[in-house]
Amino acid sequence: MDDAASNPTPPAVIVVMGVSGSGKSTVASLLAGRLGWEFEDGDDFHPAANVEKMQAGTPLTDDDRWPWLAAIAAWIDKVRAEGRHGVVTCSGLKRAYRDVLVGGRPDVRLVYLRGDRELIGRRMAARHGHFMPTSLLDSQFRTLEEPTPDENPLVVSVGGTPQQIVAEIVETLSGQPAGA
Protein backbone atom coordinates (compact mmCIF):
# COMPACT_ATOMS: atom_id res chain seq x y z
CA MET A 1 0.00 0.00 0.00
CA ASP A 2 1.30 3.45 -0.93
CA ASP A 3 2.15 5.55 2.14
CA ALA A 4 0.32 8.50 0.60
CA ALA A 5 -2.87 6.45 0.37
CA SER A 6 -2.70 5.49 4.03
CA ASN A 7 -1.69 9.00 5.09
CA PRO A 8 -3.33 11.59 2.84
CA THR A 9 -1.55 14.54 4.52
CA PRO A 10 -0.05 16.44 1.61
CA PRO A 11 3.69 16.93 1.46
CA ALA A 12 5.07 20.44 1.91
CA VAL A 13 7.05 20.15 -1.33
CA ILE A 14 6.87 17.82 -4.30
CA VAL A 15 10.03 17.25 -6.34
CA VAL A 16 9.15 16.16 -9.89
CA MET A 17 12.10 14.24 -11.32
CA GLY A 18 13.07 12.39 -14.48
CA VAL A 19 15.37 12.62 -17.45
CA SER A 20 15.29 15.64 -19.70
CA GLY A 21 12.24 15.54 -21.96
CA SER A 22 10.12 13.49 -19.53
CA GLY A 23 7.75 16.43 -19.07
CA LYS A 24 8.90 17.65 -15.67
CA SER A 25 8.27 21.35 -16.24
CA THR A 26 4.90 20.88 -17.92
CA VAL A 27 3.62 18.36 -15.37
CA ALA A 28 5.00 20.23 -12.35
CA SER A 29 3.56 23.58 -13.42
CA LEU A 30 0.15 22.00 -14.07
CA LEU A 31 0.35 20.15 -10.76
CA ALA A 32 1.23 23.32 -8.86
CA GLY A 33 -1.66 25.12 -10.53
CA ARG A 34 -4.09 22.35 -9.71
CA LEU A 35 -2.98 22.30 -6.05
CA GLY A 36 -2.68 26.09 -5.75
CA TRP A 37 0.98 25.73 -4.76
CA GLU A 38 4.11 27.63 -5.79
CA PHE A 39 6.07 26.32 -8.78
CA GLU A 40 9.78 26.57 -9.47
CA ASP A 41 11.58 25.10 -12.45
CA GLY A 42 14.82 23.51 -11.30
CA ASP A 43 16.46 24.58 -14.56
CA ASP A 44 16.24 28.18 -13.34
CA PHE A 45 18.62 27.35 -10.48
CA HIS A 46 21.45 26.36 -12.87
CA PRO A 47 24.36 28.78 -12.99
CA ALA A 48 25.05 30.23 -16.45
CA ALA A 49 28.14 28.02 -16.85
CA ASN A 50 26.01 24.87 -16.53
CA VAL A 51 23.55 26.09 -19.15
CA GLU A 52 26.40 26.94 -21.50
CA LYS A 53 27.89 23.46 -21.09
CA MET A 54 24.58 21.77 -21.83
CA GLN A 55 23.88 24.02 -24.82
CA ALA A 56 27.28 22.99 -26.17
CA GLY A 57 26.30 19.32 -25.79
CA THR A 58 28.60 18.67 -22.83
CA PRO A 59 27.12 16.59 -20.00
CA LEU A 60 27.37 18.11 -16.53
CA THR A 61 29.68 16.57 -13.97
CA ASP A 62 28.83 15.99 -10.33
CA ASP A 63 30.96 19.04 -9.48
CA ASP A 64 28.74 21.10 -11.82
CA ARG A 65 25.58 19.77 -10.18
CA TRP A 66 26.32 20.19 -6.43
CA PRO A 67 25.83 23.99 -6.29
CA TRP A 68 22.69 23.65 -8.42
CA LEU A 69 21.26 20.98 -6.12
CA ALA A 70 22.15 23.05 -3.04
CA ALA A 71 20.25 26.02 -4.51
CA ILE A 72 17.14 23.88 -5.09
CA ALA A 73 17.43 22.40 -1.59
CA ALA A 74 17.66 25.93 -0.14
CA TRP A 75 14.40 26.84 -1.93
CA ILE A 76 12.76 23.67 -0.57
CA ASP A 77 13.90 24.51 2.96
CA LYS A 78 12.63 28.10 2.65
CA VAL A 79 9.19 26.94 1.49
CA ARG A 80 9.01 24.43 4.35
CA ALA A 81 10.23 26.92 6.97
CA GLU A 82 7.62 29.45 5.90
CA GLY A 83 4.81 26.89 6.06
CA ARG A 84 4.09 27.11 2.34
CA HIS A 85 3.70 24.39 -0.29
CA GLY A 86 5.62 24.08 -3.53
CA VAL A 87 6.40 21.96 -6.55
CA VAL A 88 9.90 22.01 -8.03
CA THR A 89 11.49 20.16 -10.91
CA CYS A 90 14.90 18.54 -10.84
CA SER A 91 16.25 15.71 -12.95
CA GLY A 92 17.45 14.03 -9.74
CA LEU A 93 19.17 11.35 -11.79
CA LYS A 94 21.31 9.89 -9.00
CA ARG A 95 20.35 8.79 -5.50
CA ALA A 96 23.02 11.11 -4.09
CA TYR A 97 21.32 14.08 -5.81
CA ARG A 98 17.92 13.11 -4.42
CA ASP A 99 19.46 12.74 -0.96
CA VAL A 100 20.41 16.44 -1.14
CA LEU A 101 16.83 17.38 -2.06
CA VAL A 102 14.68 14.95 -0.09
CA GLY A 103 16.95 13.35 2.52
CA GLY A 104 15.93 14.18 6.08
CA ARG A 105 12.80 15.96 4.89
CA PRO A 106 9.84 13.65 5.58
CA ASP A 107 7.44 16.29 4.24
CA VAL A 108 9.07 16.33 0.79
CA ARG A 109 7.75 13.80 -1.77
CA LEU A 110 9.46 12.58 -4.90
CA VAL A 111 7.42 12.11 -8.08
CA TYR A 112 9.35 10.19 -10.75
CA LEU A 113 8.21 10.61 -14.35
CA ARG A 114 9.26 7.33 -15.96
CA GLY A 115 9.46 6.78 -19.69
CA ASP A 116 11.52 4.86 -22.21
CA ARG A 117 14.31 6.31 -24.36
CA GLU A 118 12.31 6.12 -27.59
CA LEU A 119 9.24 8.03 -26.36
CA ILE A 120 11.23 10.69 -24.56
CA GLY A 121 13.60 11.09 -27.52
CA ARG A 122 10.63 11.77 -29.82
CA ARG A 123 9.27 14.35 -27.39
CA MET A 124 12.64 16.07 -27.05
CA ALA A 125 13.03 16.23 -30.83
CA ALA A 126 9.64 17.94 -31.10
CA ARG A 127 10.30 20.69 -28.55
CA HIS A 128 11.91 23.99 -29.41
CA GLY A 129 13.83 26.61 -27.49
CA HIS A 130 15.16 24.38 -24.70
CA PHE A 131 18.86 24.50 -23.82
CA MET A 132 19.16 20.71 -23.42
CA PRO A 133 19.94 19.10 -26.78
CA THR A 134 18.55 15.68 -27.68
CA SER A 135 22.16 14.50 -28.03
CA LEU A 136 22.49 14.46 -24.22
CA LEU A 137 19.52 12.14 -23.65
CA ASP A 138 21.65 8.98 -23.77
CA SER A 139 23.92 10.50 -21.12
CA GLN A 140 20.86 11.17 -18.95
CA PHE A 141 19.70 7.55 -19.21
CA ARG A 142 23.24 6.26 -18.48
CA THR A 143 23.37 8.43 -15.34
CA LEU A 144 19.83 7.62 -14.18
CA GLU A 145 19.53 5.59 -10.99
CA GLU A 146 15.80 4.98 -10.71
CA PRO A 147 14.40 5.75 -7.25
CA THR A 148 14.04 2.77 -4.95
CA PRO A 149 11.08 1.94 -2.69
CA ASP A 150 12.90 3.23 0.41
CA GLU A 151 12.81 6.71 -1.20
CA ASN A 152 8.99 6.47 -1.26
CA PRO A 153 8.71 7.73 -4.84
CA LEU A 154 5.43 8.15 -6.63
CA VAL A 155 6.28 6.60 -10.00
CA VAL A 156 4.14 7.79 -12.91
CA SER A 157 4.37 6.76 -16.57
CA VAL A 158 4.87 9.59 -19.04
CA GLY A 159 2.75 7.73 -21.59
CA GLY A 160 -0.38 9.79 -20.84
CA THR A 161 -1.14 13.43 -21.43
CA PRO A 162 0.17 15.95 -18.92
CA GLN A 163 -3.37 16.35 -17.59
CA GLN A 164 -3.72 12.58 -17.10
CA ILE A 165 -0.37 12.44 -15.33
CA VAL A 166 -1.35 15.30 -13.00
CA ALA A 167 -4.70 13.63 -12.25
CA GLU A 168 -2.88 10.40 -11.32
CA ILE A 169 -0.49 12.27 -9.03
CA VAL A 170 -3.28 14.18 -7.30
CA GLU A 171 -5.36 11.02 -6.91
CA THR A 172 -2.47 9.10 -5.39
CA LEU A 173 -1.42 11.90 -3.04
CA SER A 174 -4.96 12.54 -1.84
CA GLY A 175 -5.94 8.88 -1.57
CA GLN A 176 -9.13 9.82 -3.44
CA PRO A 177 -10.27 9.02 -6.99
CA ALA A 178 -9.62 11.94 -9.33
CA GLY A 179 -13.32 12.84 -9.55
CA ALA A 180 -14.00 12.67 -5.80
Side-chain angles (χ1 to χ4, degrees):
M1 177 180 224
D2 187 296
D3 286 347
S6 61
N7 181 8
T9 303
V13 175
I14 296 170
V15 177
V16 178
M17 66 152 293
V19 297
S20 184
S22 61
K24 294 183 300 290
S25 297
T26 300
V27 168
S29 65
L30 287 171
L31 178 62
R34 172 113 175 239
L35 297 172
W37 293 6
E38 295 178 47
F39 166 70
E40 287 291 332
D41 193 317
D43 287 343
D44 295 340
F45 291 90
H46 274 296
N50 284 7
V51 174
E52 290 170 12
K53 277 183 89 169
M54 290 182 282
Q55 284 176 329
T58 304
L60 297 179
T61 66
D62 283 349
D63 287 339
D64 296 323
R65 287 188 178 100
W66 297 127
W68 169 62
L69 293 165
I72 295 171
W75 180 84
I76 290 170
D77 287 339
K78 181 177 182 196
V79 168
R80 294 171 64 235
E82 294 175 357
R84 301 185 332 247
H85 293 280
V87 179
V88 65
T89 62
C90 179
S91 53
L93 298 177
K94 290 184 179 180
R95 172 72 181 252
Y97 306 161
R98 296 187 298 273
D99 286 346
V100 170
L101 303 173
V102 181
R105 298 173 179 93
D107 57 345
V108 176
R109 185 76 190 266
L110 190 64
V111 172
Y112 170 40
L113 301 181
R114 179 193 279 162
D116 66 38
R117 165 67 176 89
E118 182 181 335
L119 172 63
I120 293 174
R122 283 195 313 267
R123 289 183 178 177
M124 280 185 79
R127 71 183 185 181
H128 302 285
H130 195 276
F131 62 80
M132 178 67 106
T134 306
S135 61
L136 289 182
L137 185 57
D138 289 332
S139 167
Q140 293 253 306
F141 272 101
R142 277 192 305 275
T143 302
L144 177 63
E145 298 170 1
E146 289 195 339
T148 58
D150 66 303
E151 293 178 84
N152 193 28
L154 170 51
V155 180
V156 183
S157 168
V158 299
T161 67
Q163 293 79 7
Q164 290 167 329
I165 294 167
V166 168
E168 181 178 342
I169 294 167
V170 170
E171 178 178 336
T172 302
L173 291 176
S174 71
Q176 301 292 318

